[in-house]
Amino acid sequence: MLNKIMGKMKNLPTVTVIGLGYVGFPLACAIAKSKKYEVYGLDTDEKRVNKINKRISPVEDEQAEKDIQNVTIHATTEENVLRRSKFIVVCVPTPINEERKPDLTPVISAVESIAKNLQKGHVIILESTVNPGVCEEDILPILERDGLKGGVDFELIHCPDRIDPGNPKWNVYNINRNIGGLTKNGTYEAAEFYRSFLKAEVNEVSSLKVAESTKIVENVFRDVNIAFVNELAQSFDKLGIDVHEVIKAASNKPFAFMPHYPGCGVGGHCIAVDPYYLIEYAEKNGFNHQLLKVARNVNNSMPHYTVKKLVDGLKSLVINIRGAKIGLLGLSYKANVGDMRESPALEIKKELLELGADVLCCDPYCNGHAPARIKDILENCVGVILATNHRQFIDLKDWKNVKIIVDGRNCLDMSNIESQGIVYNGIGRGFSKLPTGEIVNEI
Ligand code: SAJ
């Protein structure tokens, strides 16, 4: 109570976070927890706003769910709150459209709201992941439309988010940040703002483009390395070498090797999306990112590769996929979260249905979309594809009536499965050994 009164008496600087999702909401909590700012949250989703004002977290985030109990965030749909904010932080999605082209609509809409309420002294910070050039070529012209000058009347900053949903160790407080802006002084002022509520290092870089490029490079690095092991898995499937064991062995090299793991595909709103932002911008500036495109194609081919393993495995058991009951374990894009954006499991489900399979989906984190229980699948399905390595699936032992399993995340106990006379196929391991021990080699 005293803090509240003191806060009012101290006339704290005001911060507005635009976009109260898995990036913006934990950030707003962290800023509010410092008790150095009056924090507003601006979102177009009324339900989300009402939840926050009732101290309910709108996202699955352990730290934020705790924080919201002890901090005050004034959530609103009213844009005029921007007028009285010193700092405005934009944390809206940067998706791709049907043609896999960048879609800046949410960013532009947030920037238009700011432009309508722009004041001298505003520090405007974009956290959303964008390709280099977006701040200066897409955002700045909108903000300067009515005569105020960036770097003079207001600051434009980029501080890319690094939230890793579901990560128990790394959160908004302890993940290092990079920050760049139109001017050196503006970058310093924004960096000091972040340092006032974070424990992590805040590294000032020399420009907006360098800041925009760091996050894209981090995520493209991951996509290319995943594509490398996905291609390796397809090669080692032919060679009968367990790629999972090879990667684990290579990981004991104490330097110059960073393990990534093959799987049924790459999902999520970061790794599966960010490369397209750089590919598109580079192309517009005369460079063709061949490697990035090949990596995207390899990763996008993995859902089909996974379904083909099931179809070939069923064939070797003289079972036709048409009409067969097939269990799909997992719909979300990664373990222990309920986010299905760009999830490879959705591609797998679509192809199974197109092949005429009778598909039962089970995902404890997306049960509105995947109502089947694990036991329904084990008792009724002849084939199973595991697409997401949720904790509820990885220790499954008694597979009851299942005849073939395709382990899309190489996370199941292969020897236990084969000891039950079930055909096991991983991604780069397992090779569909029949109960007779013969390997089905047309895969
Ligand atoms: N995946 C693989 N093999 C791997 C790693 C991931 O197939 O070796 C798949 C996952 O199954 C998933 C997709 O790739 O479908 C993305 O997985 P992810 O672990 O990269 O998770 P994301 O998308 O939540 O990525 C976030 C990113 N964080 C930010 O953008 C701030 C990313 O930069 C992080 O590297 C990543 O978390 C992380 O390291 O966990």
Side-chain angles (χ1 to χ4, degrees):
M1 196 53 191
L2 183 61
N3 267 333
K4 201 155 170 49
I5 297 165
M6 290 299 285
K8 282 276 175 281
M9 285 161 63
K10 270 195 282 186
N11 190 16
L12 296 171
T14 303
V15 183
T16 298
V17 176
I18 304 179
L20 299 169
Y22 79 93
V23 174
F25 182 68
L27 178 74
C29 289
I31 299 169
K33 199 170 175 181
S34 72
K35 302 237 183 292
K36 297 172 184 167
Y37 305 94
E38 193 72 33
V39 180
Y40 288 81
L42 178 61
D43 202 295
T44 51
D45 180 343
E46 194 127 6
K47 281 204 216 83
R48 186 178 288 261
V49 163
N50 295 336
K51 262 180 140 178
I52 293 167
N53 288 331
K54 289 182 194 132
R55 293 184 183 280
I56 302 166
S57 169
V59 295
E60 296 164 24
D61 180 302
E62 227 171 283
Q63 184 64 51
E65 282 157 343
K66 272 191 237 142
D67 287 349
I68 189 61
Q69 304 308 320
N70 312 303
V71 299
T72 301
I73 295 169
H74 310 285
T76 178
T77 57
E78 301 296 318
E79 293 176 3
N80 57 18
V81 67
L82 296 168
R83 285 184 175 283
R84 57 174 181 274
S85 306
K86 166 67 180 166
F87 298 96
I88 299 173
V89 192
V90 180
C91 302
V92 296
T94 45
I96 47 176
N97 61 25
E98 292 292 305
E99 294 74 49
R100 290 189 168 132
K101 296 287 184 196
D103 175 5
L104 285 174
T105 311
V107 167
I108 299 304
S109 149
V111 171
E112 289 288 357
S113 313
I114 298 170
K116 281 187 278 185
N117 296 282
L118 192 60
Q119 306 286 307
K120 282 197 171 189
H122 265 161
V123 178
I124 297 152
I125 302 165
L126 178 72
E127 285 218 357
S128 309
T129 306
V130 290
N131 55 273
V134 165
C135 284
E136 285 149 295
E137 297 163 24
D138 297 283
I139 294 176
L140 194 55
I142 297 171
L143 296 174
E144 291 183 327
R145 199 166 42 200
D146 296 343
L148 291 182
K149 186 98 181 81
V152 178
D153 301 311
F154 63 87
E155 285 301 337
L156 181 56
I157 302 289
H158 185 56
C159 183
D161 89 84
R162 278 184 166 163
I163 290 282
D164 175 20
N167 190 317
K169 180 176 175 216
W170 296 104
N171 58 47
V172 65
Y173 294 96
N174 61 13
I175 297 172
N176 295 336
R177 305 297 291 266
N178 292 302
I179 191 164
L182 278 175
T183 66
K184 203 168 164 47
N185 290 345
T187 303
Y188 175 74
E189 182 183 14
E192 287 296 288
F193 165 60
Y194 275 86
R195 291 178 187 126
S196 71
F197 60 86
L198 292 183
K199 299 184 192 100
E201 180 209 336
V202 181
N203 172 44
E204 295 164 54
V205 297
S206 62
S207 70
L208 282 164
K209 282 195 171 72
V210 168
E212 290 162 327
S213 303
T214 50
K215 172 67 180 294
I216 287 276
V217 164
E218 287 160 19
N219 285 358
V220 169
F221 168 86
R222 193 163 172 80
D223 195 51
V224 168
N225 279 280
I226 295 168
F228 165 55
V229 291
N230 279 336
E231 182 175 89
L232 216 50
Q234 296 178 59
S235 153
F236 282 23
D237 266 342
K238 294 286 181 203
L239 302 173
I241 301 167
D242 183 332
V243 76
H244 201 72
E245 186 184 358
V246 169
I247 292 166
K248 277 179 80 170
S251 303
N252 68 22
K253 180 177 179 184
F255 49 85
F257 181 80
M258 183 176 182
H260 290 75
Y261 299 97
C264 59
V266 173
H269 36 283
C270 304
I271 311 303
V273 167
D274 295 350
Y276 293 111
Y277 275 74
L278 180 55
I279 290 167
E280 183 71 14
Y281 185 63
E283 212 142 80
K284 279 185 185 150
N285 288 275
F287 184 77
N288 174 25
H289 267 293
Q290 300 172 66
L291 179 61
L292 274 53
K293 287 177 182 173
V294 166
R296 286 280 73 235
N297 292 338
V298 169
N299 290 336
N300 286 338
S301 74
M302 296 313 286
H304 172 69
Y305 185 76
T306 304
V307 172
K308 187 172 180 315
K309 285 199 154 222
L310 178 76
V311 171
D312 292 346
L314 287 170
K315 259 190 233 158
S316 66
L317 297 171
V318 198
I319 298 171
N320 189 326
I321 184 135
R322 185 163 295 286
K325 272 196 184 312
I326 302 297
L328 181 56
L329 293 176
L331 275 190
S332 62
Y333 82 91
K334 81 173 186 179
N336 311 324
V337 295
D339 190 337
M340 296 189 289
R341 283 178 287 186
E342 309 294 324
S343 175
L346 299 177
E347 289 298 310
I348 290 169
K349 179 184 173 186
K350 182 163 158 277
E351 189 167 342
L352 288 172
L353 291 171
E354 285 164 359
L355 289 167
D358 176 3
V359 184
L360 276 72
C361 298
C362 166
D363 188 320
Y365 298 85
C366 316
N367 43 29
H369 302 267
R373 295 166 305 172
I374 294 175
K375 73 189 285 289
D376 300 332
I377 287 180
L378 303 186
E379 284 168 5
N380 301 300
C381 293
V382 67
V384 169
I385 291 182
L386 181 142
T388 317
N389 45 328
H390 289 319
R391 63 171 72 91
Q392 291 85 339
F393 302 150
I394 50 182
D395 296 331
L396 284 174
K397 290 281 180 255
D398 179 1
W399 291 88
K400 298 197 190 314
N401 303 323
V402 174
K403 298 275 177 293
I404 173 166
I405 296 169
V406 178
D407 180 0
R409 294 294 169 198
N410 291 337
C411 62
L412 297 172
D413 181 341
M414 178 162 62
S415 47
N416 160 269
I417 288 167
E418 288 180 335
S419 69
Q420 296 176 49
I422 300 169
V423 174
Y424 174 92
N425 226 311
I427 307 295
R429 70 193 291 244
F431 323 115
S432 219
K433 271 201 277 313
L434 295 179
T436 57
E438 178 209 344
I439 285 189
V440 176
N441 58 17
E442 70 263 29
I443 286 176

